């Protein structure tokens, strides 16, 4: 019965899919997990900025891929646009206050319930009567001066605009500054309520100055909110503050003020909680409902779609009454601009030139319909830590126990699972979680384990190749390595040819040889014998002293096994004649070999104990 040599069994056993001895992958994965964790929670500016930028890019991609505009919601939010066409029709900006007054009056006349101005009116406009009076001072005409004085109020654009604002409910916009403490105009009383707290208690940097509207406008408006927008580190507007600290209180944003007025809410309450030793903002309470925010009072902008997802109406169409008044009836109107020259276009995840006025519209809609808001929950850092630990644990426990070819597939599956869960929370629960750190850990760990497994497999295959090359021809080693374990190692019954060849009376002939001479003699004999067997596709089964056992048609199929065996025997006889002088040198003059051949069914396979 043909059996494999014991050395054949050991390397073949490495192909059984048992646990691999991966030396560096596990500690490297732990280090990567710790590094990703540190990057995720670090406040060190270089790391924090890097994570912010990368997570921001992933956030933008996720938003673009999952952007699904929802149907129009009530109330309708309409943008009256100071667009290029309006500037061409009505003149360059800034317009006379009389034109703005006309615009506001027409909007209220059309039935708008609330008007917000994404415009800051901080400086008075010169009254034309004052200019004409100054021209006439050199040659005063009492009647003319008296007539001009009588027309002063009628020609006062600021007063006309103030009067127009008072014909309905208008909310003004103002600016808050981070640098400098300049103050222009007067801030209106803030509706934000703080109970036994101050903005300083939250550890937030207060705004240094402001640019507000003229008192005449504020006296006729129902409120005011800041229009200041702070982009992320990469310049993209993804989140905006609903409140900003100034002085001893928080100031509300334009969108928050509009929502408060529409909901007839008397106040805005800042909700807070203690995180560690720091007091943080947890949300904004408005009309009995709570809007979750970040610790700085920010919300992610719930972009309803691409630019112009809200109805846009050219300002000139409103002023010339060429717009359908029904489009403004019952609507909240925000006056702003999409004109390039007025520099209110912002980079956003949706577009690099997104109208700033529509950002306020998106926030307002989110405040009125909290179900469209996306949350950045306060438990997000803890969830990221848990995800990193879980991914590292999965890889450390599973990867060393699976075949190497499964590692990339499992790694891809885990990475897709991380992405899928992140997107699922985004689309179904409106929750935004960081994605880069867990995805970085999954991808890099998969790559490390794959490379280590390939390196380990390469070493094992080399070991197998080196071992097999001692027993079968080199040209067949690759075919053996490509064979499946079942075909290679399982026992089977097949027709084969087996050959035994040994030296006649070798025991008696070698008794007078020293050990060193005997070893050299056997090497001189077995080396050419083995080469001949290999040249005819034979497999060495074993050496027993001077005896060689070989067979054909295993482990590689050979339909000509009998012919190859006979050809081998003939060449062995010829090689014996060539080796006769070599043996004579060792004192063996009667050098002959005996050869036995048999063809028939045999049991062949990897047989023996598991050791």
């Amino acid at each position: 019965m043909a059996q494999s040599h014991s050395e054949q069994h050991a390397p073949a056993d490495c192909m059984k899919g048992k646990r691999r001895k991966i030396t560096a992958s596990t500690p490297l994965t732990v280090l990567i997990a710790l590094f990703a964790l540190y990057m995720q929670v670090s406040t060190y500016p270089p790391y924090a900025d890097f994570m912010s930028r990368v997570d921001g890019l992933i956030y933008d991609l996720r938003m673009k891929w999952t952007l699904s505009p929802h149907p129009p919601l009530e109330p309708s939010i309409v943008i009256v646009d100071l667009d290029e066409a309006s500037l061409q029709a009505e003149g360059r900006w800034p317009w006379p206050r009389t034109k703005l007054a006309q615009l506001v009056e027409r909007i209220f006349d059309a039935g708008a319930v609330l008007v917000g101005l994404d415009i800051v009116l901080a400086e008075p406009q010169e009254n034309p009567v004052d200019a004409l009076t100054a021209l006439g001072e050199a040659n005063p005409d009492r009647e003319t001066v008296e007539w001009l004085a009588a027309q002063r109020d009628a020609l006062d654009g600021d007063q006309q605009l103030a009067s127009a604002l008072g014909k309905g409910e208008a909310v003004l916009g103002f600016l808050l500054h981070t640098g400098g403490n300049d103050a222009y105009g007067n801030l209106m009383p803030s509706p934000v309520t703080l109970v036994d707290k101050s903005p300083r208690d939250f550890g937030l940097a207060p705004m240094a100055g402001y640019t507000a509207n003229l008192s005449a406008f504020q006296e006729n408006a129902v409120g005011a909110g800041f229009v200041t927008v702070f982009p992320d580190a990469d310049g993209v507007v993804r989140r905006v503050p609903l409140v900003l600290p100034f002085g001893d209180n928080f100031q509300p944003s334009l969108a928050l003020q509009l929502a408060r007025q529409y909901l007839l809410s008397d106040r805005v309450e800042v909700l807070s909680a203690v995180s560690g030793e720091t007091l943080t903002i947890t949300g904004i309470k408005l009309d009995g409902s709570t809007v979750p925010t970040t610790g700085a009072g920010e919300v992610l902008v719930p972009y309803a779609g691409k630019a112009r997802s809200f109805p846009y109406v050219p300002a000139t169409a409103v002023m010339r009454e060429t717009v359908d008044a029904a489009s403004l009836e019952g609507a909240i109107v925000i006056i702003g601009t999409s004109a390039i020259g007025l520099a209110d276009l912002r980079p956003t995840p949706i577009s690099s030139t997104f109208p700033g006025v529509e950002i306020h519209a998106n926030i307002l809609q989110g405040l009125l319909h909290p179900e469209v808001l996306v949350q950045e929950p306060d438990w997000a850092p803890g969830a990221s830590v848990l995800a990193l630990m879980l991914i590292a644990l999965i890889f450390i426990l599973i990867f060393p126990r699976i075949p190497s070819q499964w590692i990339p597939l499992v790694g891809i599956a885990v990475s897709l699972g991380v992405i899928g869960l992140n997107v699922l929370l985004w689309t179904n629960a409106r929750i935004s979680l960081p994605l880069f750190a867990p995805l970085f850990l999954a991808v890099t760990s998969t790559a490390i384990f794959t490379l280590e497994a390939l390196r380990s497999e390469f070493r094992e295959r080399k070991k197998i190749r080196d071992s097999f090359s001692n027993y079968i021809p080199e040209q067949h080693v690759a075919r053996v390595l490509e064979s499946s374990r079942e075909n290679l190692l399982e026992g089977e019954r097949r027709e084969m040819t087996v050959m035994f060849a040994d030296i006649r009376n070798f025991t008696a002939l070698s008794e007078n040889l020293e050990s060193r001479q005997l070893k050299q003699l056997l090497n001189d004999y077995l080396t050419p014998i083995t080469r001949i067997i290999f040249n005819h596709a034979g497999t060495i089964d074993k050496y027993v002293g001077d005896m060689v056992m070989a067979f054909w048609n295993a482990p590689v199929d050979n339909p000509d096994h009998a012919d190859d065996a006979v050809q081998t025997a003939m060449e062995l006889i010829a090689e014996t004649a060539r080796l006769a002088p070599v043996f004579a040198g060792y004192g063996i003059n009667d050098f002959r070999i005996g050869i036995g051949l048999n063809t028939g069914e045999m049991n062949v396979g990897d047989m023996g104990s598991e050791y």
Side-chain angles (χ1 to χ4, degrees):
M1 180 174 67
Q3 289 184 320
S4 69
H5 193 273
S6 62
E7 284 189 31
Q8 237 173 301
H9 182 84
D13 187 61
C14 296
M15 302 170 66
K16 293 180 180 178
K18 294 183 178 179
R19 180 181 177 91
R20 292 179 304 280
K21 294 180 180 179
I22 298 180
T23 57
S25 300
T26 297
L28 275 176
T29 297
V30 173
L31 288 176
I32 291 173
L34 292 175
F35 175 71
L37 177 61
Y38 175 73
M39 294 280 284
Q40 185 68 56
V41 301
S42 175
T43 57
Y44 183 52
Y47 295 153
D49 290 347
F50 172 77
M51 294 297 291
S52 174
R53 289 175 182 271
V54 176
D55 273 321
L57 291 175
I58 296 175
Y59 177 92
D60 297 347
L61 290 174
R62 181 180 58 193
M63 173 164 282
K64 288 180 180 179
W65 290 344
T66 60
L67 191 64
S68 179
H70 49 70
L73 301 174
E74 294 295 333
S76 176
I77 300 174
V78 179
I79 295 173
V80 171
D81 190 11
L82 305 172
D83 57 0
E84 300 288 352
S86 298
L87 296 181
Q88 291 180 7
E90 306 296 335
R92 67 180 184 179
W93 187 263
W95 287 349
R97 299 285 163 80
T98 53
K99 281 186 178 291
L100 282 178
Q102 181 185 3
L103 176 63
V104 172
E105 284 182 357
R106 296 283 163 80
I107 292 173
F108 281 132
D109 291 344
V113 296
L114 193 60
V115 174
L117 278 75
D118 185 19
I119 302 168
V120 181
L121 306 170
E123 298 177 351
Q125 180 176 285
E126 185 179 13
N127 192 309
V129 171
D130 296 335
L132 292 173
T133 302
L135 290 174
E137 286 180 356
N139 186 18
D141 183 338
R142 184 174 180 178
E143 292 185 7
T144 302
V145 171
E146 292 177 353
W147 182 86
L148 287 173
Q151 308 301 316
R152 194 176 194 286
D153 291 343
L155 296 176
D156 191 333
D158 288 344
Q159 190 157 344
Q160 290 185 37
L161 178 56
S163 177
L165 292 171
K167 291 183 178 180
E169 293 189 348
V171 176
L172 304 178
F174 63 89
L175 296 172
L176 289 175
H177 311 300
T178 56
N181 56 0
D182 295 335
Y184 298 95
N186 296 308
L187 289 179
M188 296 182 70
S190 173
V192 177
T193 300
L194 285 176
V195 180
D196 299 327
K197 296 182 184 70
S198 162
R200 291 181 290 274
D201 299 330
F202 294 87
L204 301 175
M207 298 294 104
Y210 64 86
T211 301
N213 298 276
L214 296 178
S215 298
F217 301 145
Q218 294 186 157
E219 290 170 359
N220 287 274
V222 294
F226 62 81
V227 294
T228 308
V229 173
F230 298 109
D232 289 349
D234 57 0
V236 178
V237 178
R238 300 183 182 92
R239 53 184 62 79
V240 297
L242 293 183
V243 292
L244 284 175
F246 184 82
D248 294 328
N249 202 350
F250 284 98
Q251 290 293 331
S253 69
L254 176 65
L256 183 58
Q257 272 284 40
L258 287 170
R260 182 183 75 85
Q261 291 295 333
Y262 183 82
L263 296 173
L264 304 177
S265 179
D266 293 332
R267 64 176 188 169
V268 174
E269 185 176 352
V270 176
L271 304 180
S272 61
V274 177
S275 178
E277 298 180 355
T278 306
L279 187 67
T280 62
I281 300 175
T282 60
I284 301 296
K285 190 173 182 180
L286 183 67
D287 191 41
S289 63
T290 299
V291 178
T293 69
T294 66
E298 299 170 321
V299 293
L300 291 167
V301 182
Y303 291 101
K306 297 180 179 179
R308 298 185 176 274
S309 294
F310 289 84
Y312 273 70
V313 176
T316 186
V318 175
M319 295 171 66
R320 302 190 181 197
E321 299 183 309
T322 58
V323 66
D324 183 6
S327 62
L328 301 178
E329 186 175 359
I332 300 176
V333 174
I334 304 178
I335 301 175
T337 180
S338 67
I340 296 176
L342 298 187
D344 194 28
L345 300 177
R346 310 278 183 165
T348 68
I350 309 301
S351 169
S352 60
T353 54
F354 197 90
V357 62
E358 194 167 351
I359 293 176
H360 301 303
N362 278 283
I363 293 295
L364 174 59
Q365 183 167 261
L367 294 175
L368 297 178
H369 299 275
E371 67 274 10
V372 305
L373 283 174
V374 178
Q375 302 179 36
E376 289 183 294
D378 54 3
W379 47 263
S384 296
V385 172
L386 182 62
L388 291 172
M389 294 175 59
L390 186 60
I391 292 171
L393 189 63
I394 289 174
F395 286 175
I396 291 172
L397 294 180
I398 292 179
F399 276 179
R401 291 174 168 81
I402 62 176
S404 58
Q405 63 268 25
W406 283 97
I407 292 179
L409 297 178
V410 173
I412 292 173
V414 172
S415 300
L416 292 177
V418 170
I419 295 173
L421 179 61
N422 189 279
V423 173
L424 188 66
L425 289 172
W426 169 272
T427 55
N428 288 10
R430 307 299 290 171
I431 292 174
S432 176
L433 294 179
L435 181 57
F436 173 70
L439 195 58
F440 170 77
L441 174 60
V443 172
T444 53
S445 297
T446 300
I448 288 173
F449 272 97
T450 301
L451 291 174
E452 180 68 18
L454 290 175
R455 189 167 70 93
S456 177
E457 184 174 332
F458 175 79
R459 291 197 304 265
E460 295 298 337
R461 289 177 68 89
K462 185 177 184 300
K463 182 178 178 182
I464 294 172
R465 178 181 292 275
D466 293 343
S467 297
F468 270 119
S469 63
N470 293 325
Y471 303 99
I472 63 175
E474 180 66 27
Q475 61 269 29
H476 293 326
V477 173
R479 293 173 60 186
V480 170
L481 292 175
E482 292 171 0
S483 300
S484 65
R485 171 173 169 79
E486 291 74 14
N487 294 337
L488 182 62
L489 301 179
E490 283 193 355
E492 61 176 320
R493 190 172 182 82
R494 63 161 65 185
E495 183 183 83
M496 298 169 56
T497 297
V498 66
M499 181 188 77
F500 295 86
D502 65 351
I503 301 173
R504 298 288 189 182
N505 301 318
F506 181 72
T507 302
L509 294 173
S510 62
E511 285 181 349
N512 297 323
L513 296 177
E514 296 179 359
S515 298
R516 181 183 57 80
Q517 291 176 316
L518 181 59
K519 175 184 176 182
Q520 186 61 46
L521 177 62
L522 286 175
N523 287 344
D524 291 343
Y525 165 69
L526 293 175
T527 297
I529 296 301
T530 301
R531 183 179 65 251
I532 293 171
I533 294 172
F534 280 1
N535 289 342
H536 292 279
T539 299
I540 300 295
D541 184 79
K542 62 175 67 71
Y543 301 107
V544 182
D546 63 304
M547 189 272 287
V548 179
M549 178 182 175
F551 52 80
W552 282 258
N553 201 28
V556 179
D557 292 339
N558 182 1
D560 300 323
H561 55 88
D563 290 341
D564 285 339
V566 171
Q567 291 292 329
T568 300
M570 299 298 290
E571 289 193 24
L572 290 182
I573 294 172
E575 184 68 16
T576 301
R578 192 187 69 80
L579 290 173
V582 177
F583 273 68
Y586 289 96
I588 299 175
N589 296 316
D590 187 19
F591 174 57
R592 292 175 296 131
I593 66 171
I595 299 174
L597 291 171
N598 186 57
T599 298
E601 286 193 348
M602 305 178 192
N603 290 319
V604 64
D606 190 46
M607 303 173 192
S609 76
E610 71 176 81
Y611 296 98

